[in-house]
């Protein structure tokens, strides 16, 4: 494992086909110093480009957070965290995060960022400091799922991730209430699966999956003609996925 061979105070990441901007490391080091020993996770957004270097998004993820995020996670909410090339850990935090389970190899950056946010304060740099290259192997990271099979797989992965997080948190906070952990992410994935499959959930079931405001929004999407509901969802989520991609997969089921 690479981390076991690291010797510095800061552990940072760069996926093989991604890029850092020239001043990226300098800004990350400054951020850790400004945190006065409280900050153990520094993150920043990335610019998304295609395999051929064409800009697909000037900022990704769109929403990133700072602060002590464990209470929000325990309340079942999603955390605004970056992908691998956009995160850096203090070595002490990294020692708590690693090693990672082999079963989450494909979601390693998600697991690293989540675990770090559970045990330390997070500091978000607002400027874009690198490039995330989108290609076939990481399509869902930026674009999202497009088929029913992908949506089902996403639900299963999120449930497994939630159980892994529960075990991790209880290993150092035995009495932590982790019953709501991952609720929003899993609930949203189930709602999307319902939307893309056309097998719509009742409002009563929606209320069990997401908060009341989101339940109303999902219910309104279900009431719309399916293409309009899908298109409205993509606008809501600011997704670059083309409506025709989703409609085609449903038609071919």
């Amino acid at each position: 494992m690479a981390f076991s061979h690291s010797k510095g105070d800061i552990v940072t990441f760069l996926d093989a086909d991604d890029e850092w901007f020239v001043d990226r490391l300098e800004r990350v080091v400054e951020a850790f110093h400004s945190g006065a020993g409280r900050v153990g996770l520094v993150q920043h957004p990335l610019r998304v480009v295609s395999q051929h270097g064409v800009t697909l998004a000037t900022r990704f993820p769109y929403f990133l957070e700072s602060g002590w995020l464990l209470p929000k996670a325990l309340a079942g909410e999603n955390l605004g965290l970056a992908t691998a090339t956009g995160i850096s850990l203090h070595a002490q935090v990294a020692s708590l995060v690693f090693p990672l389970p082999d079963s989450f190899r494909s979601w390693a950056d998600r697991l690293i960022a989540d675990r770090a946010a559970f045990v330390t304060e997070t500091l978000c740099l607002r400027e874009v400091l690198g490039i995330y290259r989108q290609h076939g192997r990481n399509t869902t990271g930026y674009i999202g799922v497009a088929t029913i099979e992908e949506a089902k797989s996403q639900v299963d992965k999120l449930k497994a991730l939630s159980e892994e997080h529960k075990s991790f948190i209880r290993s150092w906070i035995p009495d932590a209430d982790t019953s709501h952990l991952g609720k929003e992410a899993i609930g949203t994935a189930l709602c999307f699966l319902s939307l893309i499959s056309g097998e719509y959930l009742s409002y009563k079931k929606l209320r069990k999956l997401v908060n009341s405001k989101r339940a109303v929004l999902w219910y309104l999407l279900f009431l719309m003609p399916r293409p309009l509901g899908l298109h409205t969802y993509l606008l809501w989520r600011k997704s670059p996925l083309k409506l025709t991609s989703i409609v085609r997969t449903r038609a071919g089921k």
Side-chain angles (χ1 to χ4, degrees):
M1 178 183 293
F3 171 65
S4 63
H5 297 285
S6 64
K7 298 179 180 179
D9 292 330
I10 297 173
V11 179
T12 193
F13 306 91
L14 177 64
D15 279 354
D17 51 357
D18 292 350
E19 300 176 31
W20 290 338
F21 290 168
V22 174
D23 61 341
R24 192 262 190 185
L25 289 177
E26 180 181 359
R27 292 289 293 114
V28 167
V29 172
E30 290 174 351
F32 276 108
H33 287 167
S34 70
R38 300 187 311 275
V39 172
L41 168 61
V42 171
Q43 62 174 347
H44 60 79
L46 304 166
R47 176 159 56 92
V48 182
V49 302
S50 69
Q51 297 181 60
H52 306 293
V54 178
T55 297
L56 302 176
T58 56
R59 181 185 181 89
F60 172 76
Y62 184 79
F63 175 67
L64 294 175
E65 295 182 273
S66 291
W68 177 237
L69 303 181
L70 178 60
K72 183 175 181 181
L74 291 176
E77 300 179 41
N78 281 332
L79 303 183
L81 298 173
T83 57
T85 301
I87 61 177
S88 302
L89 311 180
H90 190 280
Q92 291 181 341
V93 172
S95 68
L96 300 175
V97 169
F98 295 104
L100 303 179
D102 290 338
S103 57
F104 289 94
R105 186 178 298 273
S106 63
W107 275 21
D109 54 347
R110 173 73 177 267
L111 192 58
I112 291 169
D114 284 352
R115 282 186 169 189
F118 295 158
V119 301
T120 187
E121 284 192 31
T122 299
L123 177 61
C124 173
L125 301 175
R126 298 302 171 185
E127 62 264 45
V128 174
L129 293 173
I131 292 175
Y132 175 88
R133 196 172 304 277
Q134 187 267 314
H135 49 71
R137 289 173 298 169
N138 66 1
T139 297
T140 57
Y142 165 61
I143 293 180
V145 297
T147 67
I148 295 174
E149 290 71 24
E150 288 177 350
K152 290 179 178 178
S153 177
Q154 187 90 332
V155 170
D156 291 340
K157 288 180 179 179
L158 287 170
K159 288 180 177 179
L161 186 67
S162 176
E163 292 304 313
E164 175 61 34
H165 285 343
K166 290 177 181 179
S167 298
F168 177 75
I169 292 174
R170 287 172 180 164
S171 69
W172 54 279
I173 310 180
D175 59 346
D177 180 4
T178 60
S179 58
H180 299 294
L181 204 65
K183 180 181 178 181
E184 182 179 342
I186 296 170
T188 299
L190 285 168
C191 290
F192 179 69
L193 175 59
S194 176
L195 178 65
I196 194 174
S197 66
E199 300 171 358
Y200 300 147
L201 301 172
S202 68
Y203 179 74
K204 183 177 181 180
K205 290 184 178 179
L206 287 171
R207 282 291 291 114
K208 294 180 179 180
L209 296 176
V210 294
N211 63 43
S212 57
K213 291 182 179 180
R214 288 183 177 271
V216 171
L217 290 173
W218 279 108
Y219 190 65
L220 291 175
L221 291 178
F222 293 166
L223 292 177
M224 297 178 185
R226 187 170 173 277
L228 178 60
L230 286 168
H231 183 67
T232 303
Y233 169 81
L234 296 179
L235 292 175
W236 172 28
R237 302 294 297 181
K238 295 184 174 62
S239 172
L241 194 64
K242 293 182 179 179
L243 177 61
T244 52
S245 300
I246 297 181
V247 173
R248 189 180 299 116
T249 58
R250 174 58 181 165
K253 182 182 176 184

